[in-house]
Amino acid sequence: MPIRTPTKTAFAGLAITLVAVCATAQTPAIQPAMPPAAATAPGAASAPGPAGSPDPSGAVAAGAAGKVAPEGLFDALGGQPGIARIMNGLVDRAFKDARIGHLFKETKPQALKDSLTNQVCLLAGGPCRYEGADMKSAHADLEIRKRDFNVLVELLQDSMDEQGVAFTQQGRLLALLAPMHRDVITVR
């Protein structure tokens, strides 16, 4: 098991977002997003619509609204297949972990894996759509503490280590996930 450096553990508290994306996950298919040209009619504006209008990519719910993924992050994570392997490892670890496994008793593992893959793919700049709930809604009924969040970050890092994701790239992903902790931690 890799030794956690102070820098690496500083990211703890950033990513339980991933595990509890859907405590009541429905099995969404992993779907590539439509290219911008195909998503709009000829001559139609491609800018986001007014508040309340549909978000075809799911960026708002995924936590990516207004965020730009660091260049090359999607590829550094192994593209969609690599992200799927990372999320599969994360979910498998989380379900087995004695400290946080209880948070997933009502969750369908494969649905969670699929949803997280779509979410991280979109956040990392990939061609995916996230169709899950926003982070606040997805976690509202769960009793998630900061320590639970920190455990999940460790498990995510372990999964990325297992897939050979460079530490720098891990930090880039965790930095994208960091702002979500406000919506995920429900017990203060």
Side-chain angles (χ1 to χ4, degrees), residues 1-69:
M1 176 182 250
I3 296 173
R4 298 284 176 221
T5 64
T7 304
K8 198 160 192 177
T9 55
F11 287 118
L14 304 180
I16 206 165
T17 299
L18 294 177
V19 168
V21 156
C22 47
T24 57
Q26 300 298 316
T27 307
I30 296 175
Q31 302 176 11
M34 294 173 32
T40 58
S46 60
S53 67
D55 172 16
S57 70
V60 173
K67 294 184 184 120
V68 177

Side-chain angles (χ1 to χ4, degrees), residues 62-79:
K67 294 184 184 120
V68 177
E71 188 172 332
L73 180 59
F74 176 72
D75 292 331
L77 295 173

Side-chain angles (χ1 to χ4, degrees), residues 73-171:
L73 180 59
F74 176 72
D75 292 331
L77 295 173
Q80 193 167 340
I83 292 169
R85 287 190 300 273
I86 293 165
M87 295 304 108
N88 288 346
L90 170 63
V91 171
D92 290 346
R93 284 173 171 84
F95 271 75
K96 293 176 189 172
D97 192 278
R99 299 166 293 176
I100 64 171
H102 66 280
L103 293 171
F104 305 98
K105 64 182 177 229
E106 301 296 323
T107 304
K108 299 172 187 171
Q110 190 59 52
L112 182 57
K113 290 174 182 180
D114 294 342
S115 185
L116 290 173
T117 296
N118 283 329
Q119 182 185 31
V120 172
C121 175
L122 178 64
L123 288 169
C128 300
R129 278 198 311 227
Y130 173 73
E131 297 177 353
D134 65 89
M135 297 300 94
K136 192 168 195 93
S137 299
H139 302 91
D141 295 332
L142 301 174
E143 291 188 12
I144 300 171
R145 293 169 173 76
K146 186 174 181 179
R147 68 176 175 248
D148 302 324
F149 193 91
N150 293 346
V151 168
L152 191 69
V153 172
E154 291 175 21
L155 299 177
L156 173 60
Q157 291 172 309
D158 290 344
S159 188
M160 290 191 285
D161 285 343
E162 181 181 65
Q163 294 302 316
V165 176
F167 177 74
T168 303
Q169 302 302 330
Q170 291 183 29

